[in-house]
PDB file of all heavy atoms in Angstrom:
ATOM      1  N   LYS V   1      -1.819   9.468  -7.678  1.00 97.00           N
ATOM      2  CA  LYS V   1      -3.144   9.997  -7.374  1.00 97.00           C
ATOM      3  C   LYS V   1      -4.230   9.045  -7.868  1.00 97.00           C
ATOM      4  O   LYS V   1      -4.186   8.554  -8.986  1.00 97.00           O
ATOM      5  CB  LYS V   1      -3.326  11.378  -8.004  1.00 97.00           C
ATOM      6  CG  LYS V   1      -2.517  12.472  -7.344  1.00 97.00           C
ATOM      7  CD  LYS V   1      -2.739  13.816  -8.027  1.00 97.00           C
ATOM      8  CE  LYS V   1      -1.932  14.914  -7.357  1.00 97.00           C
ATOM      9  NZ  LYS V   1      -2.083  16.215  -8.037  1.00 97.00           N
ATOM     10  N   GLY V   2      -5.195   8.806  -7.010  1.00 97.00           N
ATOM     11  CA  GLY V   2      -6.280   7.902  -7.343  1.00 97.00           C
ATOM     12  C   GLY V   2      -6.005   6.457  -7.026  1.00 97.00           C
ATOM     13  O   GLY V   2      -6.931   5.633  -7.069  1.00 97.00           O
ATOM     14  N   ARG V   3      -4.763   6.111  -6.718  1.00 98.00           N
ATOM     15  CA  ARG V   3      -4.398   4.735  -6.409  1.00 98.00           C
ATOM     16  C   ARG V   3      -3.898   4.551  -4.981  1.00 98.00           C
ATOM     17  O   ARG V   3      -4.113   3.497  -4.386  1.00 98.00           O
ATOM     18  CB  ARG V   3      -3.325   4.236  -7.379  1.00 98.00           C
ATOM     19  CG  ARG V   3      -3.754   4.252  -8.839  1.00 98.00           C
ATOM     20  CD  ARG V   3      -2.718   3.581  -9.733  1.00 98.00           C
ATOM     21  NE  ARG V   3      -1.431   4.283  -9.699  1.00 98.00           N
ATOM     22  CZ  ARG V   3      -0.290   3.728  -9.294  1.00 98.00           C
ATOM     23  NH1 ARG V   3      -0.262   2.465  -8.880  1.00 98.00           N
ATOM     24  NH2 ARG V   3       0.841   4.427  -9.307  1.00 98.00           N
ATOM     25  N   PHE V   4      -3.224   5.563  -4.450  1.00 98.00           N
ATOM     26  CA  PHE V   4      -2.661   5.486  -3.103  1.00 98.00           C
ATOM     27  C   PHE V   4      -3.443   6.393  -2.162  1.00 98.00           C
ATOM     28  O   PHE V   4      -3.950   7.449  -2.568  1.00 98.00           O
ATOM     29  CB  PHE V   4      -1.191   5.920  -3.096  1.00 98.00           C
ATOM     30  CG  PHE V   4      -0.243   4.987  -3.789  1.00 98.00           C
ATOM     31  CD1 PHE V   4      -0.694   3.919  -4.538  1.00 98.00           C
ATOM     32  CD2 PHE V   4       1.125   5.194  -3.684  1.00 98.00           C
ATOM     33  CE1 PHE V   4       0.190   3.065  -5.183  1.00 98.00           C
ATOM     34  CE2 PHE V   4       2.022   4.348  -4.315  1.00 98.00           C
ATOM     35  CZ  PHE V   4       1.552   3.281  -5.067  1.00 98.00           C
ATOM     36  N   THR V   5      -3.497   6.002  -0.898  1.00 98.00           N
ATOM     37  CA  THR V   5      -4.162   6.791   0.121  1.00 98.00           C
ATOM     38  C   THR V   5      -3.299   6.839   1.370  1.00 98.00           C
ATOM     39  O   THR V   5      -2.893   5.794   1.885  1.00 98.00           O
ATOM     40  CB  THR V   5      -5.534   6.216   0.474  1.00 98.00           C
ATOM     41  OG1 THR V   5      -6.341   6.112  -0.700  1.00 98.00           O
ATOM     42  CG2 THR V   5      -6.242   7.122   1.485  1.00 98.00           C
ATOM     43  N   ILE V   6      -3.021   8.039   1.850  1.00 98.00           N
ATOM     44  CA  ILE V   6      -2.248   8.204   3.067  1.00 98.00           C
ATOM     45  C   ILE V   6      -3.197   8.544   4.210  1.00 98.00           C
ATOM     46  O   ILE V   6      -4.175   9.274   4.031  1.00 98.00           O
ATOM     47  CB  ILE V   6      -1.153   9.274   2.912  1.00 98.00           C
ATOM     48  CG1 ILE V   6      -0.191   9.249   4.102  1.00 98.00           C
ATOM     49  CG2 ILE V   6      -1.753  10.668   2.727  1.00 98.00           C
ATOM     50  CD1 ILE V   6       1.069  10.088   3.893  1.00 98.00           C
ATOM     51  N   SER V   7      -2.908   8.013   5.381  1.00 97.00           N
ATOM     52  CA  SER V   7      -3.705   8.288   6.562  1.00 97.00           C
ATOM     53  C   SER V   7      -2.807   8.227   7.788  1.00 97.00           C
ATOM     54  O   SER V   7      -1.648   7.821   7.694  1.00 97.00           O
ATOM     55  CB  SER V   7      -4.868   7.297   6.693  1.00 97.00           C
ATOM     56  OG  SER V   7      -4.387   5.968   6.822  1.00 97.00           O
ATOM     57  N   ARG V   8      -3.353   8.636   8.916  1.00 95.00           N
ATOM     58  CA  ARG V   8      -2.536   8.601  10.132  1.00 95.00           C
ATOM     59  C   ARG V   8      -3.392   8.331  11.354  1.00 95.00           C
ATOM     60  O   ARG V   8      -4.595   8.582  11.374  1.00 95.00           O
ATOM     61  CB  ARG V   8      -1.744   9.908  10.323  1.00 95.00           C
ATOM     62  CG  ARG V   8      -2.519  11.036  11.002  1.00 95.00           C
ATOM     63  CD  ARG V   8      -3.266  11.866   9.984  1.00 95.00           C
ATOM     64  NE  ARG V   8      -3.794  13.075  10.583  1.00 95.00           N
ATOM     65  CZ  ARG V   8      -5.070  13.281  10.879  1.00 95.00           C
ATOM     66  NH1 ARG V   8      -5.977  12.342  10.590  1.00 95.00           N
ATOM     67  NH2 ARG V   8      -5.461  14.415  11.430  1.00 95.00           N
ATOM     68  N   ASP V   9      -2.733   7.815  12.378  1.00 92.00           N
ATOM     69  CA  ASP V   9      -3.324   7.608  13.686  1.00 92.00           C
ATOM     70  C   ASP V   9      -2.497   8.440  14.653  1.00 92.00           C
ATOM     71  O   ASP V   9      -1.398   8.042  15.037  1.00 92.00           O
ATOM     72  CB  ASP V   9      -3.310   6.134  14.070  1.00 92.00           C
ATOM     73  CG  ASP V   9      -4.001   5.863  15.387  1.00 92.00           C
ATOM     74  OD1 ASP V   9      -4.193   6.797  16.183  1.00 92.00           O
ATOM     75  OD2 ASP V   9      -4.359   4.694  15.636  1.00 92.00           O
ATOM     76  N   ASN V  10      -3.006   9.578  15.033  1.00 85.00           N
ATOM     77  CA  ASN V  10      -2.236  10.495  15.870  1.00 85.00           C
ATOM     78  C   ASN V  10      -1.964   9.939  17.262  1.00 85.00           C
ATOM     79  O   ASN V  10      -0.967  10.301  17.893  1.00 85.00           O
ATOM     80  CB  ASN V  10      -2.962  11.837  15.982  1.00 85.00           C
ATOM     81  CG  ASN V  10      -2.931  12.628  14.691  1.00 85.00           C
ATOM     82  OD1 ASN V  10      -2.057  12.434  13.848  1.00 85.00           O
ATOM     83  ND2 ASN V  10      -3.884  13.537  14.527  1.00 85.00           N
ATOM     84  N   THR V  11      -2.834   9.078  17.756  1.00 88.00           N
ATOM     85  CA  THR V  11      -2.617   8.499  19.074  1.00 88.00           C
ATOM     86  C   THR V  11      -1.431   7.553  19.090  1.00 88.00           C
ATOM     87  O   THR V  11      -0.848   7.311  20.149  1.00 88.00           O
ATOM     88  CB  THR V  11      -3.865   7.766  19.563  1.00 88.00           C
ATOM     89  OG1 THR V  11      -4.133   6.633  18.732  1.00 88.00           O
ATOM     90  CG2 THR V  11      -5.069   8.693  19.541  1.00 88.00           C
ATOM     91  N   LYS V  12      -1.069   7.014  17.933  1.00 90.00           N
ATOM     92  CA  LYS V  12       0.055   6.086  17.824  1.00 90.00           C
ATOM     93  C   LYS V  12       1.253   6.693  17.112  1.00 90.00           C
ATOM     94  O   LYS V  12       2.262   6.006  16.932  1.00 90.00           O
ATOM     95  CB  LYS V  12      -0.376   4.823  17.086  1.00 90.00           C
ATOM     96  CG  LYS V  12      -1.487   4.045  17.764  1.00 90.00           C
ATOM     97  CD  LYS V  12      -1.855   2.818  16.943  1.00 90.00           C
ATOM     98  CE  LYS V  12      -2.948   2.015  17.609  1.00 90.00           C
ATOM     99  NZ  LYS V  12      -3.321   0.823  16.804  1.00 90.00           N
ATOM    100  N   ASN V  13       1.158   7.945  16.700  1.00 92.00           N
ATOM    101  CA  ASN V  13       2.204   8.584  15.900  1.00 92.00           C
ATOM    102  C   ASN V  13       2.585   7.712  14.705  1.00 92.00           C
ATOM    103  O   ASN V  13       3.763   7.517  14.406  1.00 92.00           O
ATOM    104  CB  ASN V  13       3.438   8.884  16.751  1.00 92.00           C
ATOM    105  CG  ASN V  13       3.232  10.059  17.684  1.00 92.00           C
ATOM    106  OD1 ASN V  13       2.307  10.858  17.524  1.00 92.00           O
ATOM    107  ND2 ASN V  13       4.096  10.181  18.683  1.00 92.00           N
ATOM    108  N   THR V  14       1.576   7.215  14.034  1.00 95.00           N
ATOM    109  CA  THR V  14       1.773   6.283  12.938  1.00 95.00           C
ATOM    110  C   THR V  14       1.097   6.794  11.675  1.00 95.00           C
ATOM    111  O   THR V  14      -0.023   7.317  11.726  1.00 95.00           O
ATOM    112  CB  THR V  14       1.221   4.898  13.300  1.00 95.00           C
ATOM    113  OG1 THR V  14       1.917   4.387  14.441  1.00 95.00           O
ATOM    114  CG2 THR V  14       1.394   3.918  12.145  1.00 95.00           C
ATOM    115  N   VAL V  15       1.786   6.632  10.562  1.00 97.00           N
ATOM    116  CA  VAL V  15       1.240   6.989   9.263  1.00 97.00           C
ATOM    117  C   VAL V  15       1.156   5.726   8.418  1.00 97.00           C
ATOM    118  O   VAL V  15       2.006   4.835   8.524  1.00 97.00           O
ATOM    119  CB  VAL V  15       2.088   8.075   8.576  1.00 97.00           C
ATOM    120  CG1 VAL V  15       3.483   7.563   8.241  1.00 97.00           C
ATOM    121  CG2 VAL V  15       1.396   8.591   7.326  1.00 97.00           C
ATOM    122  N   TYR V  16       0.133   5.650   7.580  1.00 98.00           N
ATOM    123  CA  TYR V  16      -0.094   4.498   6.729  1.00 98.00           C
ATOM    124  C   TYR V  16      -0.145   4.936   5.271  1.00 98.00           C
ATOM    125  O   TYR V  16      -0.543   6.052   4.954  1.00 98.00           O
ATOM    126  CB  TYR V  16      -1.407   3.806   7.077  1.00 98.00           C
ATOM    127  CG  TYR V  16      -1.529   3.417   8.526  1.00 98.00           C
ATOM    128  CD1 TYR V  16      -2.163   4.267   9.434  1.00 98.00           C
ATOM    129  CD2 TYR V  16      -1.013   2.219   8.994  1.00 98.00           C
ATOM    130  CE1 TYR V  16      -2.278   3.924  10.767  1.00 98.00           C
ATOM    131  CE2 TYR V  16      -1.125   1.865  10.323  1.00 98.00           C
ATOM    132  CZ  TYR V  16      -1.757   2.719  11.207  1.00 98.00           C
ATOM    133  OH  TYR V  16      -1.872   2.373  12.531  1.00 98.00           O
ATOM    134  N   LEU V  17       0.235   4.036   4.411  1.00 98.00           N
ATOM    135  CA  LEU V  17       0.107   4.250   2.977  1.00 98.00           C
ATOM    136  C   LEU V  17      -0.568   3.033   2.369  1.00 98.00           C
ATOM    137  O   LEU V  17       0.048   1.963   2.285  1.00 98.00           O
ATOM    138  CB  LEU V  17       1.460   4.492   2.316  1.00 98.00           C
ATOM    139  CG  LEU V  17       1.412   4.819   0.826  1.00 98.00           C
ATOM    140  CD1 LEU V  17       0.770   6.183   0.600  1.00 98.00           C
ATOM    141  CD2 LEU V  17       2.809   4.785   0.214  1.00 98.00           C
ATOM    142  N   GLN V  18      -1.814   3.189   1.985  1.00 98.00           N
ATOM    143  CA  GLN V  18      -2.548   2.136   1.305  1.00 98.00           C
ATOM    144  C   GLN V  18      -2.293   2.254  -0.184  1.00 98.00           C
ATOM    145  O   GLN V  18      -2.617   3.278  -0.792  1.00 98.00           O
ATOM    146  CB  GLN V  18      -4.041   2.239   1.600  1.00 98.00           C
ATOM    147  CG  GLN V  18      -4.898   1.191   0.901  1.00 98.00           C
ATOM    148  CD  GLN V  18      -4.621  -0.207   1.400  1.00 98.00           C
ATOM    149  OE1 GLN V  18      -4.490  -0.423   2.594  1.00 98.00           O
ATOM    150  NE2 GLN V  18      -4.517  -1.162   0.483  1.00 98.00           N
ATOM    151  N   MET V  19      -1.717   1.229  -0.777  1.00 98.00           N
ATOM    152  CA  MET V  19      -1.345   1.238  -2.178  1.00 98.00           C
ATOM    153  C   MET V  19      -2.196   0.218  -2.921  1.00 98.00           C
ATOM    154  O   MET V  19      -2.086  -0.982  -2.677  1.00 98.00           O
ATOM    155  CB  MET V  19       0.142   0.928  -2.353  1.00 98.00           C
ATOM    156  CG  MET V  19       1.057   1.877  -1.585  1.00 98.00           C
ATOM    157  SD  MET V  19       2.816   1.574  -1.907  1.00 98.00           S
ATOM    158  CE  MET V  19       2.994  -0.042  -1.152  1.00 98.00           C
ATOM    159  N   ASP V  20      -3.029   0.697  -3.822  1.00 98.00           N
ATOM    160  CA  ASP V  20      -3.901  -0.144  -4.619  1.00 98.00           C
ATOM    161  C   ASP V  20      -3.540  -0.014  -6.090  1.00 98.00           C
ATOM    162  O   ASP V  20      -2.887   0.939  -6.506  1.00 98.00           O
ATOM    163  CB  ASP V  20      -5.368   0.243  -4.409  1.00 98.00           C
ATOM    164  CG  ASP V  20      -5.843   0.065  -2.984  1.00 98.00           C
ATOM    165  OD1 ASP V  20      -5.463  -0.938  -2.343  1.00 98.00           O
ATOM    166  OD2 ASP V  20      -6.611   0.928  -2.497  1.00 98.00           O
ATOM    167  N   SER V  21      -4.005  -0.975  -6.873  1.00 98.00           N
ATOM    168  CA  SER V  21      -3.757  -0.977  -8.316  1.00 98.00           C
ATOM    169  C   SER V  21      -2.281  -0.774  -8.629  1.00 98.00           C
ATOM    170  O   SER V  21      -1.905   0.043  -9.474  1.00 98.00           O
ATOM    171  CB  SER V  21      -4.604   0.103  -9.003  1.00 98.00           C
ATOM    172  OG  SER V  21      -5.984  -0.103  -8.766  1.00 98.00           O
ATOM    173  N   LEU V  22      -1.459  -1.524  -7.963  1.00 98.00           N
ATOM    174  CA  LEU V  22      -0.015  -1.344  -8.094  1.00 98.00           C
ATOM    175  C   LEU V  22       0.467  -1.702  -9.494  1.00 98.00           C
ATOM    176  O   LEU V  22      -0.039  -2.629 -10.135  1.00 98.00           O
ATOM    177  CB  LEU V  22       0.712  -2.184  -7.054  1.00 98.00           C
ATOM    178  CG  LEU V  22       0.690  -1.590  -5.644  1.00 98.00           C
ATOM    179  CD1 LEU V  22       1.025  -2.643  -4.604  1.00 98.00           C
ATOM    180  CD2 LEU V  22       1.669  -0.422  -5.545  1.00 98.00           C
ATOM    181  N   LYS V  23       1.459  -0.959  -9.938  1.00 98.00           N
ATOM    182  CA  LYS V  23       2.058  -1.123 -11.246  1.00 98.00           C
ATOM    183  C   LYS V  23       3.540  -1.440 -11.098  1.00 98.00           C
ATOM    184  O   LYS V  23       4.155  -1.085 -10.090  1.00 98.00           O
ATOM    185  CB  LYS V  23       1.900   0.158 -12.074  1.00 98.00           C
ATOM    186  CG  LYS V  23       0.471   0.639 -12.228  1.00 98.00           C
ATOM    187  CD  LYS V  23       0.430   1.977 -12.952  1.00 98.00           C
ATOM    188  CE  LYS V  23      -0.983   2.485 -13.102  1.00 98.00           C
ATOM    189  NZ  LYS V  23      -1.009   3.805 -13.792  1.00 98.00           N
ATOM    190  N   PRO V  24       4.139  -2.076 -12.088  1.00 97.00           N
ATOM    191  CA  PRO V  24       5.580  -2.336 -12.015  1.00 97.00           C
ATOM    192  C   PRO V  24       6.404  -1.081 -11.780  1.00 97.00           C
ATOM    193  O   PRO V  24       7.433  -1.149 -11.097  1.00 97.00           O
ATOM    194  CB  PRO V  24       5.892  -2.971 -13.374  1.00 97.00           C
ATOM    195  CG  PRO V  24       4.617  -3.640 -13.765  1.00 97.00           C
ATOM    196  CD  PRO V  24       3.530  -2.730 -13.271  1.00 97.00           C
ATOM    197  N   GLU V  25       5.968   0.049 -12.305  1.00 96.00           N
ATOM    198  CA  GLU V  25       6.712   1.285 -12.111  1.00 96.00           C
ATOM    199  C   GLU V  25       6.641   1.816 -10.684  1.00 96.00           C
ATOM    200  O   GLU V  25       7.322   2.790 -10.351  1.00 96.00           O
ATOM    201  CB  GLU V  25       6.245   2.370 -13.093  1.00 96.00           C
ATOM    202  CG  GLU V  25       4.737   2.538 -13.146  1.00 96.00           C
ATOM    203  CD  GLU V  25       4.106   1.783 -14.303  1.00 96.00           C
ATOM    204  OE1 GLU V  25       4.463   0.606 -14.505  1.00 96.00           O
ATOM    205  OE2 GLU V  25       3.270   2.374 -15.011  1.00 96.00           O
ATOM    206  N   ASP V  26       5.813   1.208  -9.834  1.00 98.00           N
ATOM    207  CA  ASP V  26       5.800   1.553  -8.423  1.00 98.00           C
ATOM    208  C   ASP V  26       6.930   0.886  -7.652  1.00 98.00           C
ATOM    209  O   ASP V  26       7.132   1.186  -6.472  1.00 98.00           O
ATOM    210  CB  ASP V  26       4.465   1.168  -7.784  1.00 98.00           C
ATOM    211  CG  ASP V  26       3.296   1.959  -8.339  1.00 98.00           C
ATOM    212  OD1 ASP V  26       3.441   3.185  -8.528  1.00 98.00           O
ATOM    213  OD2 ASP V  26       2.231   1.352  -8.574  1.00 98.00           O
ATOM    214  N   THR V  27       7.633  -0.021  -8.292  1.00 98.00           N
ATOM    215  CA  THR V  27       8.736  -0.714  -7.644  1.00 98.00           C
ATOM    216  C   THR V  27       9.810   0.283  -7.223  1.00 98.00           C
ATOM    217  O   THR V  27      10.324   1.047  -8.037  1.00 98.00           O
ATOM    218  CB  THR V  27       9.337  -1.769  -8.577  1.00 98.00           C
ATOM    219  OG1 THR V  27       8.359  -2.768  -8.862  1.00 98.00           O
ATOM    220  CG2 THR V  27      10.554  -2.433  -7.941  1.00 98.00           C
ATOM    221  N   ALA V  28      10.143   0.269  -5.934  1.00 98.00           N
ATOM    222  CA  ALA V  28      11.103   1.219  -5.392  1.00 98.00           C
ATOM    223  C   ALA V  28      11.331   0.911  -3.925  1.00 98.00           C
ATOM    224  O   ALA V  28      10.626   0.091  -3.323  1.00 98.00           O
ATOM    225  CB  ALA V  28      10.601   2.655  -5.547  1.00 98.00           C
ATOM    226  N   VAL V  29      12.317   1.574  -3.355  1.00 98.00           N
ATOM    227  CA  VAL V  29      12.467   1.597  -1.910  1.00 98.00           C
ATOM    228  C   VAL V  29      11.660   2.772  -1.383  1.00 98.00           C
ATOM    229  O   VAL V  29      11.836   3.909  -1.840  1.00 98.00           O
ATOM    230  CB  VAL V  29      13.940   1.722  -1.481  1.00 98.00           C
ATOM    231  CG1 VAL V  29      14.047   1.793   0.039  1.00 98.00           C
ATOM    232  CG2 VAL V  29      14.744   0.543  -2.011  1.00 98.00           C
ATOM    233  N   TYR V  30      10.789   2.501  -0.443  1.00 98.00           N
ATOM    234  CA  TYR V  30       9.918   3.516   0.113  1.00 98.00           C
ATOM    235  C   TYR V  30      10.445   3.947   1.479  1.00 98.00           C
ATOM    236  O   TYR V  30      10.704   3.112   2.351  1.00 98.00           O
ATOM    237  CB  TYR V  30       8.491   2.988   0.242  1.00 98.00           C
ATOM    238  CG  TYR V  30       7.766   2.911  -1.075  1.00 98.00           C
ATOM    239  CD1 TYR V  30       8.146   1.999  -2.045  1.00 98.00           C
ATOM    240  CD2 TYR V  30       6.705   3.776  -1.361  1.00 98.00           C
ATOM    241  CE1 TYR V  30       7.502   1.941  -3.267  1.00 98.00           C
ATOM    242  CE2 TYR V  30       6.047   3.718  -2.577  1.00 98.00           C
ATOM    243  CZ  TYR V  30       6.445   2.803  -3.525  1.00 98.00           C
ATOM    244  OH  TYR V  30       5.790   2.748  -4.732  1.00 98.00           O
ATOM    245  N   PHE V  31      10.596   5.254   1.651  1.00 98.00           N
ATOM    246  CA  PHE V  31      11.144   5.825   2.871  1.00 98.00           C
ATOM    247  C   PHE V  31      10.085   6.656   3.589  1.00 98.00           C
ATOM    248  O   PHE V  31       9.430   7.496   2.973  1.00 98.00           O
ATOM    249  CB  PHE V  31      12.345   6.724   2.575  1.00 98.00           C
ATOM    250  CG  PHE V  31      13.521   6.007   1.975  1.00 98.00           C
ATOM    251  CD1 PHE V  31      13.669   5.923   0.602  1.00 98.00           C
ATOM    252  CD2 PHE V  31      14.477   5.427   2.782  1.00 98.00           C
ATOM    253  CE1 PHE V  31      14.749   5.272   0.040  1.00 98.00           C
ATOM    254  CE2 PHE V  31      15.566   4.773   2.235  1.00 98.00           C
ATOM    255  CZ  PHE V  31      15.704   4.693   0.866  1.00 98.00           C
ATOM    256  N   CYS V  32       9.968   6.442   4.875  1.00 98.00           N
ATOM    257  CA  CYS V  32       9.101   7.254   5.701  1.00 98.00           C
ATOM    258  C   CYS V  32       9.854   8.485   6.180  1.00 98.00           C
ATOM    259  O   CYS V  32      11.047   8.416   6.493  1.00 98.00           O
ATOM    260  CB  CYS V  32       8.610   6.435   6.899  1.00 98.00           C
ATOM    261  SG  CYS V  32       7.507   7.329   8.016  1.00 98.00           S
ATOM    262  N   ASN V  33       9.169   9.601   6.230  1.00 97.00           N
ATOM    263  CA  ASN V  33       9.751  10.854   6.690  1.00 97.00           C
ATOM    264  C   ASN V  33       8.822  11.506   7.702  1.00 97.00           C
ATOM    265  O   ASN V  33       7.598  11.448   7.560  1.00 97.00           O
ATOM    266  CB  ASN V  33       9.984  11.802   5.511  1.00 97.00           C
ATOM    267  CG  ASN V  33      10.339  13.211   5.949  1.00 97.00           C
ATOM    268  OD1 ASN V  33       9.476  14.097   5.980  1.00 97.00           O
ATOM    269  ND2 ASN V  33      11.593  13.424   6.288  1.00 97.00           N
ATOM    270  N   ALA V  34       9.420  12.123   8.712  1.00 97.00           N
ATOM    271  CA  ALA V  34       8.647  12.873   9.686  1.00 97.00           C
ATOM    272  C   ALA V  34       9.313  14.209   9.951  1.00 97.00           C
ATOM    273  O   ALA V  34      10.529  14.274  10.157  1.00 97.00           O
ATOM    274  CB  ALA V  34       8.503  12.093  10.996  1.00 97.00           C
ATOM    275  N   ALA V  35       8.538  15.258   9.930  1.00 96.00           N
ATOM    276  CA  ALA V  35       8.984  16.588  10.318  1.00 96.00           C
ATOM    277  C   ALA V  35       8.369  16.894  11.673  1.00 96.00           C
ATOM    278  O   ALA V  35       7.138  16.892  11.802  1.00 96.00           O
ATOM    279  CB  ALA V  35       8.559  17.622   9.279  1.00 96.00           C
ATOM    280  N   VAL V  36       9.219  17.142  12.659  1.00 95.00           N
ATOM    281  CA  VAL V  36       8.727  17.242  14.027  1.00 95.00           C
ATOM    282  C   VAL V  36       9.305  18.466  14.737  1.00 95.00           C
ATOM    283  O   VAL V  36      10.345  19.002  14.357  1.00 95.00           O
ATOM    284  CB  VAL V  36       9.065  15.974  14.849  1.00 95.00           C
ATOM    285  CG1 VAL V  36       8.623  14.719  14.112  1.00 95.00           C
ATOM    286  CG2 VAL V  36      10.558  15.908  15.166  1.00 95.00           C
ATOM    287  N   VAL V  37       8.599  18.871  15.767  1.00 95.00           N
ATOM    288  CA  VAL V  37       9.133  19.766  16.782  1.00 95.00           C
ATOM    289  C   VAL V  37       9.542  18.881  17.940  1.00 95.00           C
ATOM    290  O   VAL V  37       8.715  18.145  18.488  1.00 95.00           O
ATOM    291  CB  VAL V  37       8.098  20.808  17.218  1.00 95.00           C
ATOM    292  CG1 VAL V  37       8.638  21.653  18.371  1.00 95.00           C
ATOM    293  CG2 VAL V  37       7.706  21.690  16.045  1.00 95.00           C
ATOM    294  N   SER V  38      10.813  18.916  18.320  1.00 92.00           N
ATOM    295  CA  SER V  38      11.349  17.928  19.246  1.00 92.00           C
ATOM    296  C   SER V  38      11.071  18.241  20.711  1.00 92.00           C
ATOM    297  O   SER V  38      10.985  17.321  21.531  1.00 92.00           O
ATOM    298  CB  SER V  38      12.862  17.781  19.049  1.00 92.00           C
ATOM    299  OG  SER V  38      13.150  17.306  17.748  1.00 92.00           O
ATOM    300  N   ASP V  39      10.944  19.521  21.066  1.00 92.00           N
ATOM    301  CA  ASP V  39      10.737  19.893  22.454  1.00 92.00           C
ATOM    302  C   ASP V  39      10.070  21.258  22.539  1.00 92.00           C
ATOM    303  O   ASP V  39       9.780  21.891  21.523  1.00 92.00           O
ATOM    304  CB  ASP V  39      12.061  19.880  23.234  1.00 92.00           C
ATOM    305  CG  ASP V  39      13.145  20.714  22.578  1.00 92.00           C
ATOM    306  OD1 ASP V  39      12.813  21.740  21.951  1.00 92.00           O
ATOM    307  OD2 ASP V  39      14.328  20.336  22.688  1.00 92.00           O
ATOM    308  N   ARG V  40       9.866  21.703  23.758  1.00 92.00           N
ATOM    309  CA  ARG V  40       9.188  22.983  23.973  1.00 92.00           C
ATOM    310  C   ARG V  40       9.994  24.172  23.462  1.00 92.00           C
ATOM    311  O   ARG V  40       9.419  25.164  22.998  1.00 92.00           O
ATOM    312  CB  ARG V  40       8.863  23.166  25.452  1.00 92.00           C
ATOM    313  CG  ARG V  40       7.871  22.159  25.989  1.00 92.00           C
ATOM    314  CD  ARG V  40       7.702  22.285  27.484  1.00 92.00           C
ATOM    315  NE  ARG V  40       6.809  21.271  28.018  1.00 92.00           N
ATOM    316  CZ  ARG V  40       7.190  20.047  28.333  1.00 92.00           C
ATOM    317  NH1 ARG V  40       8.456  19.678  28.176  1.00 92.00           N
ATOM    318  NH2 ARG V  40       6.312  19.180  28.820  1.00 92.00           N
ATOM    319  N   ILE V  41      11.314  24.087  23.582  1.00 92.00           N
ATOM    320  CA  ILE V  41      12.157  25.140  23.044  1.00 92.00           C
ATOM    321  C   ILE V  41      11.988  25.232  21.535  1.00 92.00           C
ATOM    322  O   ILE V  41      11.896  26.328  20.970  1.00 92.00           O
ATOM    323  CB  ILE V  41      13.632  24.913  23.420  1.00 92.00           C
ATOM    324  CG1 ILE V  41      13.785  24.878  24.941  1.00 92.00           C
ATOM    325  CG2 ILE V  41      14.512  25.990  22.807  1.00 92.00           C
ATOM    326  CD1 ILE V  41      13.364  26.172  25.615  1.00 92.00           C
ATOM    327  N   GLY V  42      11.938  24.089  20.885  1.00 90.00           N
ATOM    328  CA  GLY V  42      11.711  24.087  19.449  1.00 90.00           C
ATOM    329  C   GLY V  42      10.370  24.685  19.085  1.00 90.00           C
ATOM    330  O   GLY V  42      10.248  25.387  18.077  1.00 90.00           O
TER     331      GLY V  42
END
């Protein structure tokens, strides 16, 4: 909190993560996740 900012572009179905003031403890593998409704039945 206060260092990272998440945003999205709905026209591109894209999410961004702006990471500022990075620290060594931020070192990790970062995984993107999406929760979606796949079709009209869903």
Side-chain angles (χ1 to χ4, degrees):
K1 289 180 180 177
R3 300 187 298 119
F4 291 9
T5 304
I6 191 169
S7 61
R8 84 271 191 254
D9 184 341
N10 289 337
T11 65
K12 299 179 179 179
N13 286 343
T14 299
V15 65
Y16 305 94
L17 184 68
Q18 179 66 43
M19 303 184 293
D20 298 320
S21 301
L22 283 162
K23 304 175 181 179
E25 49 263 46
D26 295 318
T27 297
V29 178
Y30 285 68
F31 296 92
C32 180
N33 169 261
V36 309
V37 175
S38 297
D39 53 33
R40 295 174 183 84
I41 301 299

